[in-house]
Amino acid sequence: MDDGKKGATTGMRGLMLGCVLALLLSGCNYHNDLKNLQLIYATSVDLNEKNDVVTTVTIQSPGGKERTAPVHEVLSATGPTLQESLYKKIGLQIAGPIGTSKNQVMLIGDKLAKKDIANLLDSTFRNANDPMLAKVAIVRGNAGDLIRLDRIGSATAGEYLRKIIMSARYETVIPSITLHSLYPMLHDPGRDPVIPLLRKESDKAVVDGLALLHVRKFTGYSLTPEQSTLCLLMYGVKADLCVITRNIDPESPHREPSDYLSLNISNLHRDKKVWINEDGQVQVKLDLRMKGSVVEFAHEGLGEKEQIAQLSQRFSEILTEEAKEICTLTQRANSDALGIARDVMAFYPNEWKKLNWETAYPKVNFQVSLKVDIISHGIIN
């Protein structure tokens, strides 16, 4: 073999060796990055007295040879934006890169939620690495307090809060609101979003109903958990379980368990009509037809058709009055939670262009009717 061929062969071997070493070294660097990765499992944002964003996270560092379990740590930092406080300020407090792929909840303090939520979460929506299925909720008071709650068992704060939110959604108390579903809602001119509302009670987190939004801001008005369930039904949403308990004898001098009737709603049919009358006022007719089974009622005689009919009528009257109160409350908050604007835009486009929805929605005439038919009373009469 001549010197030229030997040189070429040697050069080729050197190139191949260099590639192998580069791959090995890059693999080592990748392994080191994963080993030092600081995973965020829950995030909260609040507003302090200086109008700075206070970001609080719970971070899980992977376990090493010295320890058998991952280490959890709560960190907090302030900045003018979420991006600044999280990636720069908190990033300087930890030994390793921040990983947001495991973030399970995004909590927003009610004071901060009264500002533009879309602007607040802008960096989160733009970052392809952020988990868009993270649950979103507004917290009464300081959202960071829920991040600092003692965990139940070995669960992280993020997992604990996510399970609470998912449980309430399963029972038709709140809708499932994630970062992915929230973004289009905040930019939808046809409906104002509602966001689950949490609060801290002693050493635990509690679902406190729904926060009413208007123009991407929390209005300060909210629905109780009982009203939230009814509002979801009015919107045509029913989850796997929907048990409604009401006092059907409010005139009773003593509040006894026998005064209450609990129904599990098994079937829901909604009929909504929206039109504009000759005077230019928006009219809404909302009829709900539901079928329910008795879960609890400490009275005899449920086998009699007359008794069933009376209970069905009484329950329907109670829910109808509550539904009217919900409509009044949403109008007071100027929060179009039922999406009336979307129907007006679709069926009356010319009239919609002339409407000032800011002043028109509080004057919408709601005609609401809820009818409940009891179809089962269990295995006892």
Side-chain angles (χ1 to χ4, degrees), residues 27 57 68 104 129 140 155 182 202 217 240 252 268 289 308 327 329 338 358:
V57 298
T68 58
Q104 296 176 313
N129 295 323
R140 292 193 187 277
L182 180 61
S202 185
K217 301 176 182 179
D240 297 359
S252 175
L268 171 66
R289 299 293 179 265
I308 292 292
C327 293
L329 181 57
L338 298 177
E358 290 285 326

Side-chain angles (χ1 to χ4, degrees), residues 178-200:
T178 64
L179 287 171
H180 179 268
S181 63
L182 180 61
Y183 181 81
M185 290 181 183
L186 294 174
H187 296 84
D188 184 359
R191 181 194 175 194
D192 287 315
V194 291
I195 297 180
L197 187 62
L198 305 180
R199 62 180 170 85
K200 182 177 179 289

Side-chain angles (χ1 to χ4, degrees), residues 98 145 190 245 277 291 300:
I98 292 178
D145 291 343
T245 301
N277 63 13
K291 295 181 180 180
E300 298 180 356

